[in-house]
């Protein structure tokens, strides 16, 4: 019984962290959609990268904690973070800009314009 209670508490904590991650990601995406570059790290702009770095670091830290809990609970890794990290980095010159990409992410997450 104690193990079941412990696992239930871990699962509740996982859900709380996933919600916090989602809210933080949405806030960052909304900022990016409004025209601030750096979240997706598409350009080699050191200033934009530096401004986004704490946000990305916080998202990564939260995702690491979520993944630790998911591993303990026998669940797969946190897909939202994996998808976000895969969307970051250099892109071709004809790729959409970060604000448009952020808007597409917000649409995907069901956040109205």
């Amino acid at each position: 019984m104690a193990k079941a209670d412990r696992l239930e508490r871990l699962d509740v904590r996982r859900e709380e962290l996933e919600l916090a991650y989602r809210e933080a990601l949405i806030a960052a995406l909304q900022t990016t959609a409004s025209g601030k570059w750096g979240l997706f790290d598409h350009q080699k702009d050191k200033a934009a990268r530096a401004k986004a770095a704490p946000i990305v670091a916080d998202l990564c830290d939260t995702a690491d904690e979520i993944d630790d809990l998911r591993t303990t609970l026998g669940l797969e890794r946190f897909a939202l973070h994996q998808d976000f990290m895969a969307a970051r980095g250099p892109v071709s010159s004809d790729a959409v800009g970060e604000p448009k990409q952020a808007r597409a992410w917000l649409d995907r997450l069901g956040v109205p314009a």
Side-chain angles (χ1 to χ4, degrees):
M1 187 74 163
K3 183 176 181 176
D5 289 341
R6 180 179 162 273
L7 291 176
E8 184 178 343
R9 284 192 309 274
L10 290 176
D11 197 38
V12 168
R13 177 69 180 145
R14 176 196 59 82
E15 289 174 354
E16 292 169 350
L17 285 171
E18 287 180 5
L19 179 61
Y21 179 96
R22 186 181 194 302
E23 290 171 351
L25 179 61
I26 287 171
L29 290 168
Q30 288 172 327
T31 299
T32 302
S34 72
K36 295 200 180 206
W37 288 64
L39 183 64
F40 290 102
D41 199 24
H42 288 338
Q43 298 178 334
K44 294 181 181 180
D45 181 345
K46 290 181 182 179
R49 184 178 287 160
K51 286 182 183 177
I55 296 164
V56 174
D58 286 344
L59 289 170
C60 288
D61 290 346
T62 302
D64 288 345
E65 191 174 348
I66 291 167
D67 279 339
D68 288 347
L69 290 170
R70 285 178 154 272
T71 298
T72 301
L73 294 166
L75 302 172
E76 292 185 21
R77 295 185 68 200
F78 187 43
L80 180 58
H81 180 67
Q82 289 181 319
D83 292 347
F84 170 66
M85 293 307 289
R88 297 189 77 240
V91 293
S92 64
S93 60
D94 63 343
V96 299
E98 288 192 25
K100 285 186 180 180
Q101 185 177 9
R103 183 68 251 161
W105 268 79
L106 289 168
D107 292 344
R108 172 184 167 198
L109 294 172
V111 178

